[in-house]
Every structure is written in structure tokens, then in C-alpha cells.
Amino acid sequence: MAMLTPLLLLLSLLSSATATPTPTPTVCQYTLYPSFCRSSLPITNSSANVFDYGRFSLRKSISAATKFSTFITKSLTRSSTLTTPAIRALQDCHYLAQLNIDFLQNTLQTLAKPQTALSPLNSQDIQTMLSAILTNTQTCIDGVQATSSSWTSKNGILAPLANDNKLFSVSLALFNRGWGHPNNKTKSFLPRKKHIGFHNGRLPLKMSEKTKAIFETVGKRKLLQADDQVVVSDIVVVSQDGSGNFTTITEAIHIAPNKSEAADGYFMIYVTAGVYEEYVNIPKNKLYLMIIGDGINQTVITGNHSVVDGWTTFNSATFIVTAPYFVAVNITIRNTAGAIKHQAVALRNGADLSTFYSCSFEGYQDTLYAHSLRQFYRECDVYGTVDFIFGNAAVVFQKCNLYPRQPMSGQFNAITAQGRTDPGQNTGTCIQNCNIQAAEDLGSTKTYLGRPWKEYSRTVYMKTFMDSSIDGEGWRAWSGEFALNTSYYAEFENSGPGSDTRERVDWEGFHIINATEASNFTASMFIPGDEFIPQTGVPYDGGL
């Protein structure tokens, strides 16, 4: 039998669960940090099993996240001694720490119940949250490191963050070991029988005939397929000429209901044609929100925040969404800072089970920040230069157009920079049936499919057309040998002059895969597409 690499050994250990008593040293071998795990989980109960260790680790993780959030709050009270970039990095960290506390508490509440078995869907939900916790912490680390090094060492931010990250990794590994379903993909889930349609076969009576007409002309146009119908609870109109309910998108979001449920239907915001110079932020409590515009380059949301101008990458975005089940259709989101301003995000998406359809994202470096959780993009356009699709979500792009454009002098283009930091995370970027084509301004700049931003970076291209702008090597190193063996980069049945794999990199992490392996990254398997996309009315392909 061939020897397993350390990574494969770890993954194999994560793939089975046991309820029998397990000593701490044995449990900790399932994690990336065995020594740290042994010192952090001093359980002396001889009857303790992997579930007991997992719950203990989660409780300790909640304590650590709460302590860090308090520390950041105190640090911000002394903001008069900090630079603006440092203050903004701390504000990001505080926000992310609060998200982590919520995710950890929700996880422990689910796992504290007497039963130890979870359905595959519930298991993936928890794995997704624990994956996002690591992503959030790493985002905080990255933001802090980008500020003054003397400030970070003086205030002791990075050391506790590094320990917290190890603890969260241990919690994820123990969850995967005890409750995980690593071999059960979402395609095998029992379908939910909830009817998708209008309330009582029509829109709610409180809607005016004008509102109903808007839904029928905008909502159904190019949105619904076959006999699907979208449940809509209410519609408001945003128009700059004052003819609608509001003149800004932010005003409309503010009056959207909080914590809606699927049965309530979507709160739809119809944004008429125009250029909206505003920074849109859709918070986590605005569930089931749908924004529909008049079309790409018709309804445009634009901003110009950038790292060069003092913003963090995380908070440079023109459009930010964290509300689960968000849907956007027929809009353009821009960041006009330009290549000279380096990182400047158009969209930052941390919304679980979110969907973008027929949208355009325009920027240069770091255009589309698929930050975390599970996301789907269909028939969208993405323009950019360096790492213009990046982040650590579990994300599928289908039938999208990716346009590398001209970067700054001396730079090269990388379409993706995926940020997976832990092999237990269920994250990665899948680009399926898409089209890669040079933007009109792209000259002879070398363009690559991606580069490994983090150690376990994972990106797959499937059945995608690649024009001659793609360099023959395909992939580009981040720094020296970093992550070349631990990343997972794969290609499957791509076409076009840039798809020739004969000169591709010879990294251990690069693979040419078959249909069986490629199917693991489809919308039905990699993200639970069959569970959340049908209710949006957006077309999608569940398989290859």
C-alpha cells in the first residue's frame, strides 16, 4: 500500500467518527495542531469521546472569541493614539469577532443536544459556519498585518489571534471527525417539499396593481424558468427622479423587514436605471432580500474606496452583503478607484446561500471578494486585474464572463486568489461553463488562472472557454514554494487556446481531473444548490 502524505492522512482521519472513549492524545491527532490541542483540551474524564472533546473545544472557542472582542473594544476606546488604517482594521476585527461568537453559539446550541447524529445538510451547515470562523479570523489577521508593524507588536494583537485560529481549527477538525459527513454530498439530500409560489396563487392583496405590474415585468423577465414562481412579500421602488418609494438603495434596505423566513417570501427592491453613487451594506438581519435592476450598465452602483486611500481591503467594497438568502439581478457594481489604487473591492459577499444573476462586477485589483460561506453566480460579468476573484467562500460561477483587463505597469493578472487556510474547510472556487476573454484594454500582460493566496487554496475550472490571454503555465506561484504542494488546482474539459495543459505547472497541487472528481464541485454537490437556488427563480445546472 502506498504511503499517505500528511495531508491525506489527516483527511482520512477526519472521515470517520467514533463515540467510544478516546484519550486526549488520540483525539488531537485528528487536528492540524496536535500539541496545541493537547494543551488546550485537558479533559481527564476517562469516558470522554470525540463528541465531548468537540463540545469542550467549542465552549473554549466561544470564550476566546468573546475575550478577543472585548479586547478590541477596549483598544478602540484609545483610538486617539491610533492611525486611521489601524482603527479601521480594529473595527473590521470587532465586526468579525461578533460574527464568530454568533456562529460558535449557534453551533454549540445544535451540538449540545443529546443526539450525536446530524443530517448531511445540517452537517454541512455547521461545517460552513466553522469554516467561516477561520476565514473571519484570518481576515482580521491580514488586516492588522497590513497596518504598521510597530503598532501590531506594541499592542499584542497577532499572538492571541494566532492562538484563537489554532483553537478554531481544532474545533473544526473535531466536528468533522465526530459529526461530519465527508462522503455524503448535497445531491443525496432529501429534497424539501416546500412549495415555491405565490401566496394563495397570487401576490398578497396589500400590493397595488402598479406593484404587481412591476413584478410581472421585472421579476419574471429573464428570471423565472419553467413553472417556478418566486414568493414575494412586498416590493418597493428606488428611483433617482423621485417617482418611486425612495431615491437611494440604502433607504429601501433600511425599511426591509428583519429576520424574515422562507415562508414570508422575498422583500424585493426594484432599482430603476441610473448611476447610484452610494456604498450599499446589507446587514445579516435582512434575510430574503432581493434587489432587481434594469440591467447591466443600466442600474449601476458605484464607489471608489481603496487601500491606497486608507481603507482596509475588507471595507473598501462598494457593495457589501452579509444577509443570508440574498438575491441580486440585473445590476452593475463598480469600484472606480483604478489600478493605481491597488486593492479596491466592488462586491464583498459574506452572505450564506446568496445568488447573483445577470450582474456585472467592475474593478481592477480585488474586484469580487467572495469572502465566506456559500455563494452562486450565474451569467455574470467580472472585470479585473490582480486576484480579481478572491476570498474563501464555497462558490460556484456558472456561465459567467471573466474579463482580464490592463493592470499597472510591471504587474501580471491572476483571475483567482483563493484563501482556504485549513484542509477541514469546505471552501473553494469553482468556475464552470464560463468564458475567459481579454478585455478590450488588455495588451500583452500575462494572465493566469490563479495563485495560492493561502496554504490550502482550492480552485477548479470546468468546461470553461479560455482565450489566448491565458499563459501556457496556467497558474502562478504566490511566493517561492509556498502552498504549491498543499493547494488544490484542477482543470476539467476546458476549451480554447488558453486551455492547452501541455505546458502547465508541475506542482503537486495541480491536477487534470476526470468527470467523477469534477462532479464534486458542481452546484448540487459543492454547495447545496438544489436547496436554495430554485426558490430564487434563477436558472442553474446542478451537475456537469
Side-chain angles (χ1 to χ4, degrees):
M1 179 181 294
M3 291 292 291
L4 289 175
T5 66
L7 175 59
L8 291 176
L9 176 60
L10 174 62
L11 293 175
S12 67
L13 289 169
L14 294 176
S15 66
S16 59
T18 176
T20 58
T22 313
T24 303
T26 302
V27 163
C28 288
Q29 71 176 314
Y30 308 139
T31 73
L32 274 182
Y33 308 103
S35 297
F36 178 85
C37 174
R38 288 191 292 270
S39 64
S40 301
L41 305 181
I43 297 179
T44 58
N45 185 349
S46 60
S47 64
N49 56 43
V50 67
F51 303 106
D52 298 318
Y53 286 104
R55 295 185 184 103
F56 182 82
S57 181
L58 285 169
R59 293 187 185 97
K60 194 160 186 177
S61 294
I62 292 172
S63 176
T66 303
K67 182 178 179 180
F68 182 72
S69 177
T70 302
F71 172 72
I72 294 299
T73 300
K74 291 180 179 178
S75 297
L76 285 169
T77 62
R78 300 189 294 271
S79 60
S80 60
T81 64
L82 301 174
T83 64
T84 296
I87 292 171
R88 287 173 173 165
L90 285 177
Q91 289 170 338
D92 291 349
C93 288
H94 185 264
Y95 168 77
L96 293 163
Q98 290 300 118
L99 280 182
N100 283 353
I101 293 169
D102 289 346
F103 288 157
L104 286 164
Q105 288 176 337
N106 290 339
T107 297
L108 184 60
Q109 183 178 6
T110 300
L111 301 184
K113 298 174 182 177
Q115 70 271 20
T116 56
L118 293 175
S119 71
L121 183 58
N122 287 337
S123 177
Q124 194 202 64
D125 287 345
I126 298 296
Q127 187 186 16
T128 297
M129 284 194 288
L130 293 177
S131 296
I133 288 164
L134 282 168
T135 303
N136 291 342
T137 308
Q138 187 62 51
T139 301
C140 175
I141 291 172
D142 291 342
V144 169
Q145 287 178 330
T147 63
S148 167
S149 58
S150 61
W151 171 80
T152 57
S153 59
K154 178 181 176 182
N155 290 273
I157 299 286
L158 294 179
L161 273 176
N163 283 334
D164 289 355
N165 228 11
K166 290 180 181 179
L167 182 59
F168 301 152
S169 174
V170 168
S171 294
L172 174 61
L174 295 180
F175 169 80
N176 287 341
R177 174 68 178 179
W179 291 271
H181 290 264
N183 296 318
N184 292 329
K185 305 299 181 180
T186 59
K187 190 68 175 179
S188 64
F189 293 165
L190 292 175
R192 292 175 179 172
K193 299 299 184 181
K194 179 185 177 299
H195 173 66
I196 303 297
F198 296 111
H199 297 298
N200 300 320
R202 52 185 168 79
L203 289 170
L205 290 175
K206 65 180 179 179
M207 286 191 171
S208 66
E209 288 302 313
K210 179 181 179 181
T211 299
K212 181 179 179 180
I214 290 171
F215 176 77
E216 290 177 343
T217 59
V218 178
K220 287 187 177 181
R221 185 181 67 220
K222 201 185 173 186
L223 179 61
L224 301 182
Q225 58 176 344
D227 296 324
D228 291 337
Q229 291 181 314
V230 176
V231 178
V232 176
S233 63
D234 206 349
I235 301 175
V236 296
V237 178
V238 177
S239 183
Q240 291 177 322
D241 64 8
S243 61
N245 305 99
F246 303 99
T247 57
T248 70
I249 301 167
T250 299
E251 290 175 307
I253 292 168
H254 180 72
I255 62 96
N258 297 328
K259 299 182 179 180
S260 295
E261 297 182 358
D264 299 326
Y266 288 98
F267 182 87
M268 182 186 290
I269 300 174
Y270 168 43
V271 185
T272 62
V275 177
Y276 295 80
E277 296 182 3
E278 60 177 301
Y279 294 92
V280 175
N281 192 335
I282 302 172
K284 63 182 180 181
N285 61 337
K286 301 292 183 179
L287 283 73
Y288 293 98
L289 185 67
M290 179 181 287
I291 295 181
I292 295 183
D294 273 332
I296 291 175
N297 294 328
Q298 298 299 310
T299 298
V300 180
I301 305 167
T302 183
N304 64 0
H305 288 170
S306 69
V307 167
V308 169
D309 287 337
W311 299 90
T312 62
T313 301
F314 186 72
N315 242 338
S316 68
T318 300
F319 193 108
I320 296 170
V321 57
T322 53
Y325 300 101
F326 174 76
V327 181
V329 183
N330 292 343
I331 59 175
T332 290
I333 301 172
R334 288 180 183 152
N335 189 313
T336 61
I340 197 171
K341 293 299 181 74
H342 295 279
Q343 296 95 332
V345 176
L347 169 71
R348 189 190 89 212
N349 186 1
D352 197 23
L353 306 174
S354 54
T355 304
F356 285 80
Y357 177 47
S358 189
C359 293
S360 182
F361 311 98
E362 301 176 10
Y364 289 84
Q365 183 170 347
D366 291 1
T367 301
L368 197 163
Y369 196 172
H371 180 260
S372 55
L373 303 168
R374 295 165 292 189
Q375 309 176 15
F376 180 70
Y377 299 79
R378 173 83 177 200
E379 295 173 36
C380 292
D381 299 337
V382 191
Y383 295 80
T385 58
V386 181
D387 308 332
F388 67 89
I389 297 174
F390 75 114
N392 195 25
V395 55
V396 175
F397 293 84
Q398 275 186 7
K399 296 189 176 180
C400 294
N401 298 307
L402 311 182
Y403 296 108
R405 62 199 310 184
Q406 186 64 30
M408 292 175 63
S409 177
Q411 289 184 326
F412 60 86
N413 287 335
I415 296 174
T416 64
Q418 207 282 327
R420 187 165 169 253
T421 61
D422 192 294
Q425 290 177 303
N426 60 352
T427 56
T429 299
C430 172
I431 295 175
Q432 178 189 9
N433 286 318
C434 292
N435 176 59
I436 301 172
Q437 182 176 344
E440 291 183 359
D441 66 343
L442 182 65
S444 58
T445 299
K446 286 192 173 185
T447 298
Y448 300 89
L449 299 174
R451 59 181 185 149
W453 183 26
K454 302 298 180 184
E455 191 168 2
Y456 296 96
S457 179
R458 182 162 63 175
T459 301
V460 179
Y461 285 83
M462 309 190 303
K463 295 190 172 183
T464 287
F465 175 83
M466 303 175 181
D467 76 0
S468 58
S469 65
I470 299 300
D471 187 83
E473 289 191 335
W475 306 85
R476 177 87 176 218
W478 185 272
S479 178
E481 298 295 312
F482 172 74
L484 303 187
N485 297 329
T486 52
S487 294
Y488 181 90
Y489 288 138
E491 298 183 45
F492 172 72
E493 290 190 359
N494 299 306
S495 61
S499 67
D500 190 337
T501 59
R502 288 176 294 180
E503 297 180 6
R504 288 295 195 253
V505 294
D506 60 358
W507 308 341
E508 185 177 332
F510 173 70
H511 310 271
I512 297 173
I513 57 176
N514 59 28
T516 300
E517 193 162 5
S519 67
N520 292 325
F521 298 95
T522 57
S524 294
M525 302 280 272
F526 193 50
I527 58 174
D530 298 335
E531 293 289 324
F532 76 97
I533 301 174
Q535 67 187 353
T536 70
V538 172
Y540 77 106
D541 301 313
L544 292 173

